Amino acid sequence: MSLFKARDWWSTVLGEKEEFDQGCLCLADVDNTGNGQDKIIVGSFMGYLRIFNPHPVKTGEGTQAEDLLLEVHLRDPILQVEVGKFVSGTEMLHLAVLHSRKLCVYSVSGTLGNVEHGNQYQIKLMYEHNLQRIACNMTYGSFGGVKGRDLICIQSMDGMLMVFEQESYAFGRFLPGSLLPGPLAYSSRTDSFITVSSCRQVESYKYQVLAFATDADKRQETEQQKLGSGKRLVVDWTLNIGEQALDICIVSFNQSASSVFVLGERNFFCLKDNGQIRFMKKLDCSPSCFLPYCSVSEGTINTLIGNHNNMLHIYQDVTLKWATQLPHVPVAVRVGCLQDLKGVIVTLSDDGHLQCSYLGTDPSLFQAPKVESRELNYDELDIELKELQKIIKDVNKSQGVWPMIEKEDDLKVSAMVSPNFDSVSQATDVEVGTDLVRSVTVKVTLQNRVALQKAKLSVYVQPPLVLTRDQFTFEFMAPEMTRTVAFSVYLKGSYTPPELEGNAVVSYSRPTGIPRVIQCKFRLPLKLICLPGQPSKTASHKLTIDTNKSPVSLLSLFPGFANQSEDDQVNVMGFRFLGGSQVTLLASKTSQRYRIQSEQFEDLWLVTNELIIRLQEYFEKQGIKDFACSFSGSMPLQEYFELIDHHFELRINGEKLEELLSERAVQFRAIQRRLLTRFKDKTPAPLQHLDTLLDGTYKQVIALADAVEENQDNLFQSFTRLKSATHLVILLIGLWQKLSADQIAILEAAFLPLQQDTPELGWEETVDAAISHLLKTCLSKSSKEQALNLSSQLSMPKDTSRLKKHITLLCDRLAKGGRLCLSTDAAAPQTMVMPGGCTTIPESDLEERSVEQDSTELFTNHKHLIAETPIPEVSSLQGVSE
């Protein structure tokens, strides 16, 4: 950033909401006064043409009414304005205005005023050319070495050069290989046109070559031209600059040498007449415009370069001589003589800020005031220093690591779930089958204590649960305002969600500008995804939950799921999830046990969790505080591992399908290229069944794409079921080892680190890294294991054997007395006094096999264990009913 700003000599703002570009500014003595004073000509994309002659009374003064000589609306957008000798029979200067479909040449004249209003200026149309193609830019000069007049060359959007000899059209030529038009300039010394093609190379074409080439009646080359009856358009020289160009300018030292300046996106180049590089300069900022002009030093050239940081840099060749700051980003810059002031820099922005400025500095007139001299009382300063140190010490003690929490929140958020279903279900596009899908309304209330800015509410539920709306925005302009929003929740898919808990998060900014986030959780009813069902006598998967209190009637725990046809069975209840799967809940008559059984292992989770929550709420209402649940059976790891293997298999299939799809896509593009080559050939060869191969490959690509989408849907459902099973395993481990809430939170963070699977980061490698970290820290046997470092990069494993062994080892160490904690210092003494200790993470295959043998003795198949140890009097539904 420069310390110096451009000194404002005169400035104005053109129109309202008008747009300008680099060709919209020109400086010249357009009215032919002959006194050497330039006028500022500006054209806009809105079609307004303005001519200014600024003469401020004092420096920096704004525009006066008499500064605007002429303003006329030409209706068509103005792409470029230039001044030259464009009218035959005279060497007077005229104004050329380029529109998208028209070129107009005007004469500008003034009439002396006899009254106080001053001189009057008007423009007169001398001639115009209607263009058959859309114009992009133009250049002018004495093409072919003509004397006393200027010819005009217009470049169209499709790369055609159209040359006009004043009032008549001369010829048009297509530039070879042109795709997009680039900047265009004319070099009078070499009599050639210089442009930058879409191939990012500077190209030079001789005017004589353009004039004698075959006429461009159409874009394609004619057969006669190919056969040699016409002269082809050949480039004089090219130079690859490797970037697109913004502008081109030709500057002559003298009659014997000239330089071609090209402004790129990151560099600017100075070339010789033959295309060789004289020098180039890498720019630090993205440029917007430039203007080379001769320097006072012989053999050097000064260049003004404006950039998008509101800066104007002045280079002498490649040396930065001055940097000044502008109030806007310039898109066009010119240097002229205004009111006998030579070297005035005129800049124009894209939104119409026109400024005339000069370089220089203003002296600083500020003088620091004298400091009053007084004697210092060191005793008072010492006392004040000690008081400040005490305040700082007290603040650090009370605050700690985290910032202090406000006694009262700025915003209170509460959520209430309706106990009844919506009278009209809001469920749309459901994929559940024949079951009627109901919806339930959730109301979220926000109450602010102070005025807040842009509070945004985001609501999230676990899929396949969906919301009718999940984003809300509020404006709390005044304190003590209450806003309530309502939305509906329903089940969309044919599988069960991993959780019935929703989360409402509000992000807002305090009046001081500090961002804050507050959240509120709500629990959805089980009946939203479940219906009363018929109890089942047999099931593949069974769990037994022990309690320390007498069994409670299931009708009182689940009043909404009572089957009217079996009112006498108070200790058995059936649940049927929307989509078909069933779960049976049984309560023992004599023992303090509950059994949950189902054909699908993951379906046990929601009913088991709901049972424990409702039992806790039931005994809390009774005033009993020592109620506890436990799990004494074997951990169902084999069933859990089957879900892990199924999920991992879908991930492997997804990678194989995507790889195969990529191969077929490459094959499809290769066949397309060969067919295109055959079709372009003037003497076409037989297709050799390429069309049949293309059709077959296309069908394979479509089939593979459908298979990838189907696999992604199956993978998403498998991950949801895996999360449900993971929740169940964590719950059983907590009941089995009587873990605290903090230890269960550590397990959840290790087993449920992801909300969704991605190809880059999957569930298996993430959980394996987290469990390995627990085994090497808080569950380690020695400090040597704690010093081991994990791999910093996670990648998809070859199989799930390592993950399953680590999960088994985690349960083994918890069974032997290990406890979960985040601090390794707290875990180290605990592992030293453990009786027998925990086995270390195996470092060889022999150790892994020994650990696996020990673990299989402890964790046997859950299906066989249930058959050996049935619950008393609950072995079958017949025994329960008796």
Side-chain angles (χ1 to χ4, degrees):
M1 181 177 179
S2 174
L3 296 175
F4 308 121
K5 295 183 179 180
R7 314 314 306 170
D8 185 9
W9 182 68
W10 177 86
S11 62
T12 185
V13 178
L14 307 178
E16 293 183 2
K17 297 182 180 180
E18 295 188 42
E19 297 183 8
F20 303 84
D21 207 351
Q22 61 182 8
C24 297
L25 177 64
C26 180
L27 266 67
D29 185 16
V30 67
D31 56 346
N32 299 283
T33 56
N35 56 7
Q37 305 298 317
D38 293 328
K39 312 298 186 299
I40 303 174
I41 303 103
V42 183
S44 74
F45 289 165
M46 298 296 290
Y48 285 94
L49 177 67
R50 298 177 177 91
I51 302 177
F52 291 93
N53 184 22
H55 48 279
V57 178
K58 58 181 180 179
T59 301
E61 188 179 25
T63 180
Q64 303 293 324
E66 56 269 19
D67 293 342
L68 180 61
L69 302 183
L70 178 68
E71 178 176 355
V72 60
H73 188 203
L74 302 180
R75 298 187 179 181
D76 296 324
I78 298 176
L79 305 182
Q80 192 173 344
V81 289
E82 298 291 349
V83 175
K85 303 173 183 178
F86 301 136
V87 177
S88 59
T90 177
E91 293 190 5
M92 303 285 285
L93 297 178
H94 289 78
L95 174 64
V97 179
L98 178 64
H99 303 286
S100 57
R101 284 284 189 175
K102 185 168 56 175
L103 172 66
C104 301
V105 175
Y106 299 93
S107 67
V108 181
S109 59
T111 304
L112 295 177
N114 296 324
V115 293
E116 60 182 3
H117 298 298
N119 301 337
Q120 297 179 5
Y121 286 82
Q122 58 273 347
I123 61 173
K124 179 182 179 182
L125 179 64
M126 303 304 293
Y127 62 88
E128 68 178 20
H129 294 288
N130 292 317
L131 307 178
Q132 300 299 321
R133 302 178 182 273
I134 299 177
C136 175
N137 51 25
M138 68 174 176
T139 186
Y140 71 96
S142 54
F143 305 161
V146 297
K147 302 294 184 181
R149 55 178 180 154
D150 292 326
L151 280 62
I152 298 176
C153 178
I154 299 176
Q155 182 179 205
S156 67
M157 293 298 292
D158 55 355
M160 180 181 181
L161 297 184
M162 298 172 284
V163 178
F164 295 89
E165 295 183 357
Q166 296 181 339
E167 291 89 348
S168 60
Y169 171 73
F171 58 85
R173 301 289 183 268
F174 275 110
L175 298 180
S178 176
L179 180 62
L180 294 174
L184 181 67
Y186 173 73
S187 174
S188 59
R189 204 188 75 82
T190 60
D191 192 24
S192 58
F193 296 100
I194 300 173
T195 184
V196 178
S197 67
S198 53
C199 299
R200 299 185 175 182
Q201 60 183 11
V202 185
E203 299 177 352
S204 175
Y205 296 92
K206 291 285 188 179
Y207 176 75
Q208 295 297 330
V209 176
L210 288 171
F212 288 106
T214 304
D215 196 8
D217 292 332
K218 55 183 179 178
R219 181 69 185 259
Q220 293 80 8
E221 295 178 343
T222 62
E223 290 294 331
Q224 289 81 6
Q225 184 174 344
K226 288 197 170 196
L227 295 174
S229 60
K231 187 175 180 59
R232 296 189 61 179
L233 181 57
V234 181
V235 64
D236 185 24
W237 54 261
T238 61
L239 175 68
N240 193 336
I241 60 174
E243 58 183 314
Q244 284 295 340
L246 302 180
D247 200 1
I248 295 179
C249 210
I250 312 294
V251 176
S252 298
F253 294 111
N254 46 50
Q255 293 299 325
S256 61
S258 64
S259 296
V260 179
F261 279 82
V262 181
L263 178 65
E265 296 172 329
R266 294 173 296 274
N267 307 275
F268 84 91
F269 306 84
C270 179
L271 314 179
K272 296 180 181 179
D273 290 336
N274 56 2
Q276 296 179 356
I277 297 180
R278 289 188 63 237
F279 62 82
M280 65 172 290
K281 173 68 177 177
K282 183 176 178 59
L283 303 176
D284 297 330
C285 303
S286 176
S288 59
C289 61
F290 86 137
L291 178 68
Y293 61 96
C294 295
S295 172
V296 292
S297 301
E298 186 175 358
T300 63
I301 295 181
N302 287 355
T303 308
L304 298 172
I305 299 181
N307 58 40
H308 287 86
N309 290 348
N310 296 8
M311 299 293 296
L312 188 67
H313 291 171
I314 293 89
Y315 289 91
Q316 188 176 59
D317 287 348
V318 295
T319 305
L320 180 65
K321 289 296 185 179
W322 194 266
T324 184
Q325 188 173 8
L326 297 173
H328 54 259
V329 176
V331 296
V333 58
R334 299 291 185 268
V335 175
C337 178
L338 302 174
Q339 297 296 317
D340 295 328
L341 183 61
K342 297 182 179 180
V344 177
I345 301 174
V346 182
T347 56
L348 175 67
S349 70
D350 60 351
D351 55 354
H353 284 77
L354 180 65
Q355 177 174 332
C356 300
S357 54
Y358 58 92
L359 306 179
T361 60
D362 285 341
S364 176
L365 303 178
F366 173 77
Q367 294 182 355
K370 294 183 179 180
V371 181
E372 296 181 2
S373 59
R374 59 175 181 173
E375 295 183 1
L376 299 178
N377 191 336
Y378 291 100
D379 295 335
E380 293 181 358
L381 291 178
D382 195 17
I383 294 172
E384 183 179 0
L385 178 62
K386 290 181 179 180
E387 291 178 353
L388 293 175
Q389 289 177 343
K390 183 180 179 182
I391 293 173
I392 295 172
K393 189 176 181 181
D394 293 340
V395 169
N396 290 335
K397 280 185 178 180
S398 60
Q399 186 169 353
V401 178
W402 301 101
M404 297 179 64
I405 302 176
E406 302 287 342
K407 294 182 178 180
E408 186 176 0
D409 292 331
D410 298 329
L411 185 67
K412 292 182 179 179
V413 183
S414 60
M416 184 185 69
V417 181
S418 175
N420 302 319
F421 288 124
D422 297 338
S423 58
V424 178
S425 177
Q426 302 297 318
T428 56
D429 299 333
V430 294
E431 302 170 358
V432 178
T434 59
D435 292 327
L436 176 63
V437 180
R438 309 297 296 270
S439 62
V440 67
T441 299
V442 181
K443 293 184 179 180
V444 179
T445 304
L446 290 79
Q447 184 177 6
N448 63 314
R449 184 174 58 87
V450 296
L452 303 176
Q453 303 174 5
K454 290 186 179 180
K456 182 178 181 180
L457 169 65
S458 302
V459 188
Y460 177 77
V461 292
Q462 294 285 345
L465 292 172
V466 295
L467 303 164
T468 54
R469 185 179 177 185
D470 58 353
Q471 299 283 343
F472 303 89
T473 305
F474 307 93
E475 287 287 348
F476 294 101
M477 306 302 296
E480 302 299 335
M481 294 178 64
T482 302
R483 298 288 182 86
T484 302
V485 295
F487 51 88
S488 295
V489 188
Y490 61 91
L491 184 71
K492 187 174 183 180
S494 59
Y495 52 98
T496 57
E499 283 184 288
L500 289 176
E501 194 175 65
N503 197 9
V505 181
V506 182
S507 59
Y508 63 93
S509 297
R510 300 190 62 191
T512 56
I514 301 175
R516 288 291 177 90
V517 176
I518 188 171
Q519 65 176 349
C520 172
K521 294 185 177 181
F522 57 90
R523 183 167 183 80
L524 299 171
L526 181 63
K527 62 183 180 180
L528 183 64
I529 63 169
C530 190
L531 300 173
Q534 188 68 26
S536 177
K537 295 182 180 181
T538 59
S540 301
H541 305 277
K542 303 175 183 179
L543 290 178
T544 302
I545 303 298
D546 300 328
T547 63
N548 59 351
K549 300 297 178 184
S550 301
V552 183
S553 172
L554 296 181
L555 294 178
S556 59
L557 288 178
F558 298 92
F561 293 91
N563 198 335
Q564 300 296 330
S565 62
E566 299 179 2
D567 293 338
D568 55 335
Q569 294 188 2
V570 296
N571 59 346
V572 61
M573 185 167 289
F575 302 88
R576 186 174 66 85
F577 289 108
L578 296 177
S581 57
Q582 295 184 355
V583 179
T584 302
L585 175 61
L586 304 99
S588 175
K589 290 182 178 179
T590 57
S591 62
Q592 302 167 352
R593 292 182 177 183
Y594 300 87
R595 171 175 289 175
I596 307 97
Q597 58 188 25
S598 175
E599 292 295 331
Q600 301 293 332
F601 174 68
E602 63 273 10
D603 292 337
L604 299 173
W605 153 244
L606 288 178
V607 177
T608 305
N609 186 49
E610 192 75 18
L611 172 65
I612 295 175
I613 291 176
R614 297 198 181 197
L615 284 174
Q616 292 173 348
E617 293 176 352
Y618 175 82
F619 286 107
E620 284 180 2
K621 292 180 181 178
Q622 301 294 329
I624 300 173
K625 298 183 179 179
D626 59 343
F627 170 77
C629 297
S630 62
F631 176 71
S632 57
S634 62
M635 292 298 299
L637 293 184
Q638 294 301 324
E639 294 86 340
Y640 184 47
F641 291 161
E642 290 177 3
L643 290 172
I644 293 177
D645 290 337
H646 178 63
H647 175 262
F648 187 74
E649 182 182 354
L650 289 175
R651 289 185 62 191
I652 296 293
N653 291 340
E655 285 195 347
K656 292 180 179 178
L657 287 173
E658 289 180 359
E659 183 178 357
L660 191 58
L661 178 61
S662 177
E663 292 177 359
R664 290 296 179 270
V666 172
Q667 175 179 321
F668 186 72
R669 289 192 291 270
I671 298 172
Q672 281 183 321
R673 285 195 295 269
R674 292 201 174 189
L675 274 175
L676 188 60
T677 305
R678 297 285 179 91
F679 291 148
K680 280 187 175 180
D681 194 358
K682 295 299 183 181
T683 58
L687 295 180
Q688 297 178 348
H689 301 288
L690 280 177
D691 54 343
T692 306
L693 187 59
L694 181 70
D695 182 64
T697 307
Y698 172 76
K699 292 179 180 179
Q700 290 182 0
V701 169
I702 296 300
L704 286 172
D706 294 338
V708 168
E709 288 185 354
E710 182 181 358
N711 187 81
Q712 289 176 349
D713 294 339
N714 295 335
L715 181 63
F716 184 79
Q717 294 186 22
S718 176
F719 184 62
T720 303
R721 295 188 175 97
L722 180 60
K723 285 198 291 185
S724 298
T726 305
H727 279 293
L728 180 60
V729 171
I730 293 173
L731 174 65
L732 295 180
I733 292 177
L735 297 178
W736 174 44
Q737 291 297 319
K738 297 180 174 57
L739 300 181
S740 64
D742 293 338
Q743 292 175 331
I744 292 177
I746 295 175
L747 276 182
E748 290 179 347
F751 278 89
L752 296 168
L754 303 175
Q755 285 292 338
Q756 61 182 2
D757 255 342
T758 58
E760 296 81 12
L761 186 63
W763 182 86
E764 284 80 7
E765 55 265 29
T766 311
V767 173
D768 188 30
I771 295 178
S772 300
H773 176 73
L774 292 178
L775 293 174
K776 292 180 180 180
T777 53
C778 58
L779 294 179
S780 63
K781 181 179 178 181
S782 62
S783 58
K784 181 180 179 180
E785 287 187 11
Q786 296 181 5
L788 295 176
N789 292 325
L790 297 174
S791 175
S792 60
Q793 184 174 3
L794 297 180
S795 59
M796 187 174 177
K798 296 181 180 180
D799 51 38
T800 59
S801 58
R802 175 183 172 88
L803 172 62
K804 291 188 286 189
K805 290 175 183 178
H806 284 172
I807 294 176
T808 306
L809 188 57
L810 173 72
C811 297
D812 184 23
R813 294 194 177 181
L814 288 175
K816 292 183 179 180
R819 284 297 175 260
L820 299 168
C821 61
L822 294 177
S823 174
T824 56
D825 297 335
Q830 180 184 0
T831 56
M832 292 173 62
V833 299
M834 283 172 52
C838 289
T839 57
T840 61
I841 294 181
E843 298 180 358
S844 66
D845 294 338
L846 293 176
E847 292 186 38
E848 289 187 353
R849 283 196 290 269
S850 63
V851 170
E852 187 175 0
Q853 292 174 0
D854 297 338
S855 303
T856 52
E857 294 177 2
L858 180 63
F859 306 108
T860 57
N861 195 328
H862 180 61
K863 300 177 184 178
H864 297 89
L865 188 65
I866 290 295
E868 295 174 2
T869 58
I871 301 177
E873 300 183 9
V874 196
S875 58
S876 66
L877 285 178
Q878 185 178 358
V880 171
S881 62
E882 294 175 356

